[in-house]
Amino acid sequence: MRRGTVWTGLCGIVAAVCLAVPQGGRADAAPDAVFKGTYSYGTQKRQTVGAYRTAGTDVRPVVMILHGGYWARDSDWSGWARKLAARGFVVFDVDYRLNTDARWHAQRTDALAALRWIRTQAVRFRADPRRIVLLGSSAGGQIAANTAEYTAGTAERPAGVIALSPVADPHLAWRDGGRSGASAAQRRLRREAQKLAGCAPAKCRAVWDDMAARTWAPGGTERPGRPGMPMLLMHFAHDFVPVAHSRGLAKAEPRATVSVLPGTGHGMKALTRPGVEHRVVAWLMARVGRPADRA
C-alpha cells in the first residue's frame, strides 16, 4: 500500500470526508474513484489501511486488498484500488506487519484485525460488512487464503477470496527454492518464508503447517468438515509460484476454482491480461452482488 497520512480517533472521523490523491499505481486510475485517507486499525506502525470509494449514498460491497512482496516489502496497489472503487466497490488496501517486524501468525492476526476494523467502520464508508471479499497477491494471497479458511464457519468469515499467484503452501515454496536450478525469485521466496516461520521446517513443522491455507480448509487437518470458502485462484503457466500451490489447496477446498493463465507472469500482472479484469469483477459480483441503493 502507498502510505499517506494516518488518522486515528477523532481525526479519522474527519478524514473520512477529506480527499487525498496517492501517487503511482499500476492501473489506469479512474478519475471519480477517490482516495479517502489512510487509517490505523491497530497500534503497530504498519497496521494501516487506505480507503477508496466513489461518491454516492448507496451501501456497497467491499474488496479488502492484501499486497504481495515476499512478506518482506510493499507493493503499490493504489491504481487497482481506485479502479475497483470505480467499479462500485468500497476498497480497503491493507498493510500488515512484514516478516522483519514479526513472525507468523502476526500477518493473519493483522488481516483479522483489519477485517474487524472495516466492519466497525462500515457506516462511515457506507460499506456492507456482510459482503467483504479478500483480494491477495503472492504473499498477500497466502495471507488472504489462510485468513479466510481460518475464519470459515465463524462470524468473521469473508464472502470469498481472489488470490493471484498465492503462495498457498509456504513449505512447497521452501522446497522449490532449495532445488537445483531454482530461479532467483524462488530462492528469495524460500529465504523469506523461513524468516516468516522463524525456523526451518524440520525445527517447527507445526508453524509451516499453520501457514498453509489447506490446513484450515474443509479437507484439512485442523477443522475438517467446515463450511467451504469460495475462492478464485490464478497463476500463470510460467509463474515462479507454480499452480501446484493452488491445486494443493483446492484438494482440501471444494469451493475453490483454479485458473492457469498462459505465458509468464506473476501476481498483479494477471489483471492486465485480456479478459482477466472482467472475469475478476464478474466473480466479485457473483459473490457479493451489486450495490443496493439506499437513497
Side-chain angles (χ1 to χ4, degrees):
M1 182 181 99
R2 187 168 294 278
R3 295 173 180 276
T5 303
V6 178
W7 302 82
T8 57
L10 179 61
C11 292
I13 297 174
V14 175
V17 296
C18 295
L19 306 184
V21 180
Q23 298 177 352
R26 295 178 64 179
D28 294 332
D32 59 344
V34 176
F35 176 56
K36 307 297 287 185
T38 304
Y39 309 88
S40 292
Y41 66 83
T43 60
Q44 301 296 315
K45 181 179 180 181
R46 291 192 55 82
Q47 292 174 327
T48 61
V49 56
Y52 301 77
R53 72 161 286 155
T54 56
T57 61
D58 51 321
V59 176
R60 301 178 185 177
V62 173
V63 176
M64 176 176 136
I65 296 173
L66 291 157
H67 66 79
Y70 298 93
W71 306 281
R73 59 175 174 80
D74 288 322
S75 59
D76 185 5
W77 273 82
S78 59
W80 284 108
R82 292 166 71 89
K83 198 165 188 178
L84 287 168
R87 292 279 198 167
F89 300 95
V90 185
V91 181
F92 296 95
D93 186 8
V94 175
D95 264 344
Y96 51 85
R97 283 173 287 177
L98 303 177
N99 60 6
T100 51
D101 303 313
R103 297 175 181 174
W104 184 261
H105 49 82
Q107 295 71 27
R108 182 175 65 205
T109 298
D110 288 356
L112 289 169
L115 268 171
R116 294 178 192 124
W117 184 89
I118 290 168
R119 288 188 169 112
T120 63
Q121 303 300 316
V123 172
R124 177 194 299 186
F125 296 101
R126 298 185 303 283
D128 190 337
R130 301 162 301 175
R131 297 189 291 163
I132 302 175
V133 171
L134 306 187
L135 170 58
S137 176
S138 194
Q142 179 265 336
I143 299 169
N146 187 287
T147 299
E149 294 289 14
Y150 186 80
T151 61
T154 74
E156 293 190 308
R157 65 173 286 159
V161 173
I162 296 174
L164 310 175
S165 305
V167 192
D169 183 354
H171 186 230
L172 175 59
W174 185 88
R175 294 201 311 268
D176 285 347
R179 289 175 179 163
S180 175
S183 68
Q186 289 175 318
R187 292 194 298 272
R188 181 177 181 186
L189 191 59
R190 172 188 169 98
R191 294 193 302 271
E192 300 294 355
Q194 183 162 325
K195 189 180 298 181
L196 181 69
C199 54
K203 294 185 177 180
C204 60
R205 186 55 191 266
V207 176
W208 290 83
D209 288 344
D210 186 26
M211 292 194 295
R214 71 169 185 274
T215 297
W216 302 98
T221 57
E222 286 296 320
R223 299 172 188 171
R226 305 184 78 185
M229 175 61 60
M231 292 187 175
L232 177 60
L233 310 173
M234 292 185 170
H235 295 256
F236 284 89
H238 303 288
D239 196 323
F240 76 85
V241 178
V243 69
H245 283 262
S246 289
R247 285 177 175 157
L249 171 55
K251 288 180 180 179
E253 175 49 80
R255 300 190 68 183
T257 298
V258 180
S259 180
V260 180
L261 305 177
T264 300
H266 179 73
M268 186 194 301
K269 187 176 180 181
L271 294 173
T272 67
R273 290 299 177 91
V276 173
E277 180 188 350
H278 176 78
R279 182 180 178 189
V280 164
V281 172
W283 193 93
L284 286 168
M285 291 299 186
R287 301 285 81 72
V288 296
R290 294 185 177 275
D293 194 355
R294 292 176 56 185

